[in-house]
Amino acid sequence: MKFERYGAGIAKGMVVTLKHLFRHPVTTQYPEERLTVSRRTRGNELIWDRERCTGCATCAKSCPQGAIRIVTSRGEENDYIVEEFRVDSGYCIFCGLCVESCPYEALFMGYGYERARYRRRELVLNKEELLTSEKKQPSGYARPKVEAALPPQTLLLDRDGVKK
Amino acid sequence: MSLFDPGLNLSAYYPGTLPPEWPGGYWIHWGVFVVIILAFVLLMAMGFIWLERREVGRFQARLGPNRVGPFGVLQPVADAIKVLTKEDIIPAKGDKLVYWLAPVVAFVPVLMVFAVVPFQDGALLADLNIGILYVVAISSVSVVGVFMAGWSSNNKYSLLGAMRAVSQLVSYEIPLGLSILGVVVLAGSLSLNSIVEAQHIPFILLQPLGFLIYMAAAAAEINRTPFDLLEADSEIVAGFHTEYSGMKFALFYLVEYCEVLAVSVIVTTLFLAGWKGPLLPPLLWFLIKVFGVFTVIVWVRATVPRLRVDQVMAFAWKCLLPLALINLLITGIQVLVWPEVLPWAVVFLNLAIMVVLILLWSKFFKLGGGRVEV
Amino acid sequence: MTVALSGGEIAARLEERFPGSVVESGQDSLLVKSESLRAAAGFLKTAPGLEFDYLTAITGVDYYDYFEVVYQLTSIRHNHSLVVKARCYGRDNPALPSVVGLWKGADFQEREIYDLMGIRFEGHPNLKRIVLWDGFTGYPLRKDYL
Amino acid sequence: MVIKTEPFVVNIGPAHPSTHGVFRMRATLDGEVVLDIEPVFGYLHRGIEKLAEERTYTQIIPLTDRLDYLASMSNNLAYVLAVEKLAGIAVPERAEYLRVIMAELQRIASHLIGVGAFLNDCGAFMTPILYMIREREKILDLFEMVCGQRLTYNYMRIGGVSHDIPEEFLPALKKFVDSMPGFIDEYDQLLKENEILLARSKGVGILSREQAINISASGPVLRASGVKWDIRKVDPYSIYDRFGFEVPTGSAGDCYDRYRVRVEEMRQSVRILKQAVEKLPAGEVRSEVSHLVRPPAGEAYGHIEAPRGELGFYLVSDNSIAPYRFHVRAPSLLNLTALREMVVGWKVADVLAIFGSIDICMGEADR
C-alpha cells in the first residue's frame, strides 16, 4: 500500500472534524434536559383499568413471558370478579402484545421511563399498584384516543445541524 | 527582583548553573524552580486532560465533561480522587518489585525533561549547554518503565504492548534526533535558551520538513494517534497498563499527559520561537503556543485511524529517517554556503524542497508489508 | 426470482446416476438415503445445469421416530434452489455423512446441529459443541429434552 | 545465534473492547503474526430456537427482536414473511410499503453501526462511530414514533404491521431522507481517502469469490467479493421488485471493499426510501388475522436480505398454534466461517479490523 495521495485524504478528514468544532453538539444533558418520548412509547409498568377489565385473561394468554397472573371468581351476575391481577415487571419484555390483545381496552402501556427499583420483589405489581396515578400516565400504544392527547415527540432531526 | 524579570539573563552570566547575585544563591534558585516545575507540570497535565476531553468532545459533536466545576474544569481532580481511592491490584504471578517500580521509572524522566525548558528568557532550572541532548537522552528512559510494566504484569496483552513499545520508541528516537539536529545547526547551540534566542524568525519556517518529521516522530514517542500502538484499545485492550489500577495507573496516565506536555513544550521551544512574541508577556506567549501545539495533536487524534505495527516501523525507517537525513544535509549546506542570505529566500526554498521531497516519497514509499505466509 | 426446482426432476437425474439413492421426492424437495447423501450432494454441486454452489442453510428437525436434516441448496450461477433432506434413525447415536468437504459453510451449522440435536456428522474435521460448553449433557433441541 | 521462540496463545475476548459483543477468538500468535485462530461461540446463547417451540406464532415476534438486536425490524420482517408463506396470508398494500420503509431504515441504521465499529476497530478514536450513531439516533427516533420502542420494535405482525404510522412520521422521514445523503458524503470525506485507513484495509483480509460462495457468506461480505447476489434482486420478496436500486459490489473482497459496499448500500437504501415514500398508498395496514395463527402442517423457508446477509427462518408447522421447529439461518454465524481463512498470516491489529469488517451481531450468531 502506497502513501499515494500526499496526505490529502488525511487533510480532508481533518476539515470534517474541524467543521464539527463549530456545530452544535447533539448531546442531551439528561437529568436537567428531558426529551418528550414518543406518544406510543412502550414505557415501564402496565396500567390497568379496574372498571373496564372483565377478567377474561386474554392479556395473560398473549404474554410471551407469562408475566401476568390473573385470578378470578364467579360473580353474582355470572361475570368474573378479578381477585388478583399481578404483573411481574421483572419478566416483562415490553412487547405490548397484552395491550394490543385486550378486547376491552382495559390495559395500557406506561408512559414513564424512570422506574428502576432496588429489589426485584418491588417489580411485582399488584392490583393497586397497576392503577393509574399522578406519576403513572398511560401511553398511547394501541390506544389512539390516549395517543391524540399526548404531546408530540422531540426528534433529533429537528434539533440537529444548527450552527452554533 | 521578580522571578520572571525579562532582564534576568542567567545564561549570559554563568551557563549551566545559577546566578551569583541571587539572594541565597544556589539552593533558593534550586528550590524555587523545582516547586515551579512540579506545579507547572502537574497543573498543565490536568489542564491538558480536561482540554483534550473537551476538545475531542466538540470534534465528535458532543459536549465532553461539564459536570464538575464550571465547564467541568475540575473533572481531572475528580478523576484523580476516583483513581487514587481505587483498589490497587498486583497480578498474582506478576513480578512485584518491577511492577511497583515501573510507573516511577516511567514518570521521573518525563518530569526531568522540564528542568532545561525556558519558560521565558533565562527562567529555567538549569541552562545546560547540552540542553537538547539532555532532553533526548532523558526522555527515552521512559520506555524502560513501559517495558518493565508490560513485562511484570504477566499478561499477554501487556507483553504485546511492551514489545511494540520498545521497537517503536527505539526506532523513532533516530528521526526525532536527526530532525532536532537541523535546528541545532541553525541555532549553533544545544542550549534550549540559546536556541530560542537564535530564532529571529521561528524555525518552523526555516525547517518546515524538520518540523513535520519531529511532529510525526514525537507523536510516535508519546504514543499518540496514529501511532498509539502501545495502548491500542481496540487491539490489545490497554497495552502495557492493562493490569494497572489505582495510584500506579494514575501515574501512567499522568506520564501520558506529561509526555504530551513535554513534546508541546519542546516543539514550542525548538520550532515556534519559545517565549518570543510581540506585545504579550513572554510567559503568556509560551503558554499560548504550548496549547496551540497540543490542540493540533488532539485534532489529529480525533480524526485519523491507527497504523499497523509493521507500517509504523516502515514509516520510521523508510520514510522519516531518509527524509530527516536529507533535511539535515540541506540545512548543513545552507548554513555553510549562504550564511548571510536573506532568511525569506531560504524560507521559500525550504518549503519548495519539502513539497518536492514529500511528493517523491509519496510516489515511491511503500507502507509496510502484507500477509505473512505461515 | 429464485426458481425452486422440482424435486421429482432432480430425483430422476439422481436415480439415473446413483440408483437407489432417492427415497422419495416431492414438489420442491427430495429425500435422499443417508448413505448416499455425500455422493448425491457432490453430484448436485457439480452436475451441469444444476451447480448448487451455495449451501444456504442446514437444519435438523426431530420427528421422534427419526431425525430429518434439511439442506437448502442454492445455485448462484443459475439462481435456482432445491431442498434436500436426509433422515437418520435411532435416538442414541444418529449419524449422517458430513458435507463440509463440499461446502465449507456447513462447518458451523453441522456443529450446531450436533450440539443441539445430537446428530453426528461423520467426516467433519472439528465436530465439537459450538454454543454449549463441552461438558453439557443432553441435546436441548430434541423434543424429549426438558 | 538462533533465539528459540515459541508461539503463544491469546484469548481475544469474550471481554475485549472490539469483539462486538461476547465473542472469543483463541488466537495463536508468533509475535504479532497470527498463526491460527479458533472462534469460540456461545456466550450469548439463549436457546431462542427452543423457546420459540413453546410460544405461539405471534409471541415469537418479540423473540426475533432479540436475535440481531442491531436490526430488529429486519428480523421481524423475515419471520413474518416465513409465517405468511407457511400459512398463505396476504398482506395489504400499505403494510408492504411500510415494511419496506422500515426494513430500509433499519438497513441504514445497522450499516451505520457496522461501518462505525469497523472504523473504530481500525483505530479511529470514536469519531466516525459517534457521527454515525448521531444519524442512527434519528432513525431510532422514527422507529420510536411508530412503534414505541427504540431497540426491540416488535412492529411487524403476521398479515401486516401492528400500527399505522402517525401523521408526523412522513414529514420527519422526508426530512431524514433529504439530509442523509449529505451525511454519507461527510463520512466519505472523513475517512474514505484517508491514507492510513487505506493502508490498514486495502488488500487486508481478502476473501476470494470462490471462497465467499463456498463458505456460504452472504450480504455485504459476499458482495464485496464480487458476487452480485442480493436477495432483494434475485428473489424479490415483499414488493422489492417495484423499486429501482443498484446492488453495489466490490472487486477485491478486502476490508476496504466491505466497508465501501456498506456505505454504497446506505445510499441505495435512501433511494428506495425516496421511492417508497412517494408511492405509499392509503388503506389498511393489517389483514384480519387472529392472534393465534394456525398454519397448515408443512414447512417453509422465508428469507430476506437483512443488513448482515441472508436472514432466513425455517419453520415446520404441525397445525398447532406454535411452530414444531423454528430455525434461524443466521448470517452472522455463517459469515464468521470466513474469519479463519481471512486472518491467518495477518497481524493482531488486522484480526480486529477484519473481524470488524465482517460486521457480526452475536445475539444472532449464538441465538
Side-chain angles (χ1 to χ4, degrees):
Chain A
M1 181 58 225
K2 280 184 180 172
F3 203 69
E4 57 210 352
R5 282 175 225 257
Y6 330 114
I10 294 177
K12 267 172 136 182
M14 290 184 67
V15 171
V16 175
T17 36
L18 191 66
K19 259 195 251 165
H20 276 83
L21 199 57
F22 303 105
R23 283 205 195 146
H24 213 66
V26 291
T27 320
T28 307
Q29 305 208 53
Y30 163 56
E32 292 95 41
E33 192 185 339
R34 279 156 195 274
L35 304 180
T36 318
V37 294
S38 158
R39 295 191 281 197
R40 291 178 180 178
T41 193
R42 303 210 291 268
N44 293 21
E45 297 191 351
L46 289 176
I47 288 167
W48 178 58
D49 189 326
R50 191 198 298 261
E51 270 68 54
R52 284 195 197 152
C53 182
T54 59
C56 67
T58 310
C59 49
K61 282 177 207 150
S62 71
C63 179
Q65 295 298 95
I68 302 176
R69 180 186 156 86
I70 299 180
V71 179
T72 52
S73 61
R74 183 63 59 90
E76 289 163 11
E77 292 162 27
N78 208 11
D79 56 349
Y80 290 125
I81 295 169
V82 182
E83 294 191 341
E84 189 181 3
F85 194 104
R86 204 174 66 193
V87 178
D88 190 344
S89 317
Y91 281 106
C92 180
I93 57 172
F94 304 101
C95 62
L97 287 180
C98 50
V99 177
E100 265 175 61
S101 64
C102 181
Y104 304 100
E105 302 206 347
L107 207 55
F108 302 85
M109 296 302 293
Y111 191 61
Y113 50 89
E114 292 159 318
R115 297 279 191 273
R117 295 281 186 276
Y118 283 101
R119 286 180 184 71
R120 286 191 74 88
R121 62 169 180 272
E122 291 168 20
L123 290 170
V124 183
L125 308 173
N126 58 26
K127 257 161 66 174
E128 279 66 42
E129 287 162 327
L130 279 167
L131 295 175
T132 176
S133 70
E134 190 78 353
K135 283 172 83 179
K136 284 180 68 174
Q137 296 299 322
S139 122
Y141 184 77
R143 300 283 177 267
K145 275 178 212 148
V146 183
E147 187 185 341
L150 288 170
Q153 178 190 358
T154 32
L155 296 175
L156 182 61
L157 264 173
D158 303 331
R159 293 185 296 139
D160 186 39
V162 188
K163 290 276 184 298
K164 199 164 50 168
Chain B
M1 156 179 258
S2 110
L3 259 180
F4 294 116
D5 188 340
L8 180 74
N9 189 346
L10 306 176
S11 54
Y13 284 106
Y14 218 153
T17 155
L18 46 134
E21 85 269 33
W22 260 60
Y26 192 90
W27 291 110
I28 292 210
H29 170 83
W30 185 256
V32 165
F33 266 93
V34 166
V35 171
I36 288 175
I37 285 173
L38 275 177
F40 172 77
V41 171
L42 293 179
L43 274 177
M44 286 290 273
M46 283 170 119
F48 272 17
I49 292 173
W50 173 78
L51 193 69
E52 165 150 34
R53 294 180 62 179
R54 287 290 289 194
E55 278 181 357
V56 166
R58 294 316 303 269
F59 279 129
Q60 297 176 341
R62 58 190 173 88
L63 282 167
N66 65 346
R67 290 289 148 148
V68 195
F71 301 104
V73 280
L74 295 179
Q75 187 66 42
V77 180
D79 283 351
I81 292 169
K82 184 202 83 172
V83 142
L84 294 185
T85 50
K86 278 202 146 182
E87 187 190 358
D88 190 22
I89 298 164
I90 297 178
K93 293 196 176 166
D95 187 334
K96 301 213 169 40
L97 181 68
V98 180
Y99 185 81
W100 185 85
L101 267 177
V104 183
V105 174
F107 184 60
V108 171
V110 187
L111 212 52
M112 283 167 74
V113 166
F114 294 94
V116 295
V117 174
F119 298 109
Q120 62 180 40
D121 191 11
L124 71 174
L125 175 58
D127 189 7
L128 292 183
N129 52 9
I130 51 154
I132 193 66
L133 188 62
Y134 166 85
V135 169
V136 174
I138 285 289
S139 62
S140 42
V141 176
S142 268
V143 64
V144 178
V146 168
F147 187 72
M148 282 163 75
W151 176 260
S152 63
S153 296
N154 195 22
N155 175 315
K156 284 165 181 172
Y157 288 124
S158 301
L159 192 59
L160 265 179
M163 292 194 300
R164 286 178 174 189
V166 173
S167 54
Q168 177 187 330
L169 298 194
V170 171
S171 308
Y172 274 88
E173 285 287 311
I174 297 158
L176 186 89
L178 286 174
S179 63
I180 289 176
L181 274 187
V183 173
V184 172
V185 168
L186 279 179
S189 167
L190 285 166
S191 154
L192 286 174
N193 207 30
S194 316
I195 289 175
V196 175
E197 278 170 1
Q199 296 185 53
H200 302 295
I201 54 170
F203 282 166
I204 185 177
L205 296 175
L206 292 171
Q207 284 275 310
L209 187 58
F211 173 73
L212 284 184
I213 295 169
Y214 184 85
M215 281 302 272
E221 282 283 301
I222 59 176
N223 328 320
R224 281 271 150 175
T225 326
F227 308 103
D228 56 344
L229 299 174
L230 277 69
E231 40 201 289
D233 59 335
S234 65
E235 297 156 21
I236 51 171
V237 188
F240 63 93
H241 60 62
T242 307
E243 292 287 346
Y244 277 85
S245 70
M247 186 110 179
K248 300 196 190 82
F249 173 76
L251 268 185
F252 273 123
Y253 199 66
L254 207 58
V255 168
E256 195 178 306
Y257 282 90
C258 289
E259 279 178 335
V260 187
L261 175 63
V263 163
S264 310
V265 164
I266 301 290
V267 167
T268 307
T269 313
L270 292 184
F271 294 100
L272 302 177
W275 37 262
K276 280 191 176 175
L279 298 174
L280 297 171
L283 185 67
L284 207 58
W285 266 114
F286 181 76
L287 287 179
I288 288 172
K289 286 171 185 171
V290 167
F291 277 111
V293 174
F294 178 68
T295 305
V296 171
I297 293 176
V298 172
W299 183 18
V300 172
R301 184 181 182 196
T303 313
V304 296
R306 183 185 303 123
L307 282 164
R308 199 169 59 206
V309 62
D310 55 328
Q311 293 165 342
V312 166
M313 301 303 281
F315 189 61
W317 292 103
K318 294 193 205 159
C319 180
L320 289 187
L321 180 62
L323 283 179
L325 280 171
I326 293 170
N327 180 50
L328 181 59
L329 186 74
I330 290 170
T331 316
I333 291 171
Q334 284 172 349
V335 170
L336 274 180
V337 179
W338 315 295
E340 306 300 326
V341 176
L342 273 174
W344 295 109
V346 181
V347 168
F348 291 116
L349 180 66
N350 279 358
L351 266 176
I353 290 174
M354 179 185 80
V355 170
V356 169
L357 279 177
I358 289 181
L359 289 187
L360 271 178
W361 250 257
S362 307
K363 264 278 171 291
F364 298 113
F365 164 68
K366 198 166 172 296
L367 199 65
R371 185 182 184 134
V372 183
E373 286 305 322
V374 291
Chain C
M1 198 79 187
T2 307
V3 184
L5 291 188
S6 149
E9 281 169 34
I10 311 281
R13 285 189 70 176
L14 261 179
E15 238 353 79
E16 198 179 299
R17 182 79 199 277
F18 306 103
S21 62
V22 179
V23 180
E24 63 178 65
S25 57
Q27 182 62 41
D28 51 356
S29 69
L30 75 162
L31 180 65
V32 288
K33 247 188 194 151
S34 60
E35 298 83 52
S36 50
L37 173 67
R38 174 78 206 217
F43 173 75
L44 289 173
K45 192 187 170 187
T46 50
L50 299 176
E51 280 154 306
F52 289 102
D53 45 6
Y54 190 85
L55 175 70
T56 308
I58 309 180
T59 321
V61 189
D62 178 6
Y63 286 109
Y64 289 104
D65 303 336
Y66 54 87
F67 292 102
E68 191 168 84
V69 177
V70 185
Y71 297 81
Q72 315 266 353
L73 300 179
T74 310
S75 167
I76 285 192
R77 181 176 301 171
H78 304 299
N79 194 10
H80 56 222
S81 66
L82 179 70
V83 179
V84 177
K85 295 176 179 176
R87 284 177 187 168
C88 50
Y89 293 86
R91 298 195 78 78
D92 297 329
N93 199 10
L96 273 179
S98 166
V99 294
V100 175
L102 294 168
W103 296 286
K104 218 163 170 301
D107 185 354
F108 289 160
Q109 303 189 65
E110 288 187 347
R111 278 178 70 185
E112 193 186 329
I113 296 171
Y114 165 71
D115 187 358
L116 301 173
M117 209 68 109
I119 302 171
R120 270 189 314 106
F121 287 91
E122 275 150 4
H124 191 287
N126 182 27
L127 196 64
K128 292 194 298 186
R129 284 192 176 271
I130 184 167
V131 287
L132 300 171
W133 59 99
D134 288 333
F136 193 86
T137 48
Y139 302 103
L141 271 187
R142 287 189 179 183
K143 286 285 174 185
D144 51 7
Y145 182 91
L146 293 172
Chain D
M1 194 183 79
V2 177
I3 303 171
K4 189 176 169 292
T5 62
E6 55 182 66
F8 72 111
V9 177
V10 178
N11 272 312
I12 304 178
H16 184 280
S18 44
T19 49
H20 300 212
V22 277
F23 181 59
R24 177 172 147 213
M25 291 175 271
R26 207 169 156 275
T28 313
L29 305 181
D30 176 17
E32 288 268 345
V33 180
V34 178
L35 298 180
D36 191 12
I37 203 159
E38 187 198 348
V40 182
F41 298 87
Y43 292 93
L44 209 56
H45 178 63
R46 294 149 295 173
I48 284 189
E49 291 186 5
K50 186 79 178 173
L51 285 174
E53 290 175 10
E54 316 270 308
R55 278 160 173 73
T56 66
Y57 284 94
T58 308
Q59 284 176 349
I60 292 172
I61 299 171
L63 268 187
T64 61
D65 283 335
R66 281 131 182 105
L67 284 170
D68 179 354
Y69 40 76
L70 292 173
S72 301
M73 282 291 186
S74 307
N75 298 350
N76 282 184
L77 178 58
Y79 171 71
V80 295
L81 281 177
V83 178
E84 282 156 12
K85 195 171 165 187
L86 190 62
I89 295 168
V91 180
E93 192 82 336
R94 186 174 172 86
E96 294 275 28
Y97 274 92
L98 288 181
R99 283 178 175 189
V100 167
I101 288 174
M102 295 305 158
E104 292 308 313
L105 277 175
Q106 184 69 80
R107 187 182 316 278
I108 297 174
S110 174
H111 280 341
L112 284 171
I113 288 284
V115 171
F118 164 67
L119 296 174
N120 214 25
D121 288 348
C122 284
F125 177 65
M126 295 305 280
T127 309
I129 195 168
L130 278 166
Y131 291 172
M132 291 176 190
I133 281 178
R134 178 186 59 194
E135 262 62 69
R136 183 182 155 88
E137 193 70 16
K138 295 171 189 162
I139 299 173
L140 296 192
D141 274 349
L142 292 176
F143 284 158
E144 187 190 351
M145 189 195 282
V146 175
C147 68
Q149 288 268 354
R150 301 169 64 81
L151 197 65
T152 50
Y153 310 114
N154 186 18
Y155 180 58
M156 314 278 176
R157 289 288 181 278
I158 297 157
V161 295
S162 71
H163 295 82
D164 202 352
I165 48 176
E167 70 230 19
E168 65 262 38
F169 179 81
L170 277 181
L173 178 63
K174 274 187 190 131
K175 197 172 170 189
F176 173 77
V177 167
D178 289 341
S179 65
M180 192 61 201
F183 285 113
I184 299 176
D185 289 344
E186 205 169 52
Y187 308 145
D188 278 355
Q189 198 192 343
L190 179 64
L191 281 173
K192 181 186 171 189
E193 290 169 15
N194 190 303
E195 279 85 353
I196 296 173
L197 185 80
L198 290 173
R200 280 299 303 278
S201 60
K202 270 230 159 154
V204 174
I206 293 177
L207 188 68
S208 70
R209 191 191 149 92
E210 288 70 36
Q211 273 179 320
I213 295 175
N214 192 248
I215 62 134
S216 304
S218 53
V221 179
L222 183 66
R223 287 193 283 277
S225 299
V227 188
K228 209 170 174 123
W229 186 261
D230 186 320
I231 295 167
R232 291 176 293 174
K233 279 276 188 213
V234 299
D235 187 12
Y237 53 89
S238 194
I239 48 163
Y240 272 104
D241 45 355
R242 299 185 202 170
F243 302 108
F245 64 98
E246 304 291 320
V247 179
T249 53
S251 49
D254 52 12
C255 291
Y256 188 72
D257 275 358
R258 288 191 275 276
Y259 155 59
R260 291 314 304 164
V261 163
R262 291 207 172 88
V263 175
E264 294 307 321
E265 272 186 22
M266 286 199 261
R267 289 187 205 279
Q268 297 303 325
S269 292
V270 172
R271 225 178 114 189
I272 297 176
L273 281 173
K274 264 193 189 135
Q275 301 170 35
V277 171
E278 272 170 25
K279 291 185 195 162
L280 182 68
E284 282 294 303
V285 296
R286 193 170 171 182
S287 52
E288 282 296 319
V289 178
S290 155
H291 265 275
L292 297 176
V293 186
R294 209 182 270 274
E299 57 193 54
Y301 176 75
H303 59 174
I304 68 158
E305 184 69 31
R308 281 171 185 73
E310 177 179 347
L311 175 67
F313 283 86
Y314 178 76
L315 298 170
V316 179
S317 160
D318 57 352
N319 197 19
S320 69
I321 55 170
Y324 184 77
R325 177 79 170 96
F326 169 90
H327 175 74
V328 190
R329 187 243 188 238
S332 297
L333 179 74
L334 292 182
N335 288 350
L336 273 177
T337 320
L339 183 68
R340 193 183 169 278
E341 281 171 30
M342 284 198 271
V343 299
V344 167
W346 291 100
K347 307 275 190 301
V348 181
D350 295 321
V351 173
L352 281 316
I354 294 168
F355 181 68
S357 76
I358 301 177
D359 182 25
I360 58 140
C361 178
M362 286 320 285
E364 185 181 58
D366 287 344
R367 274 160 282 156

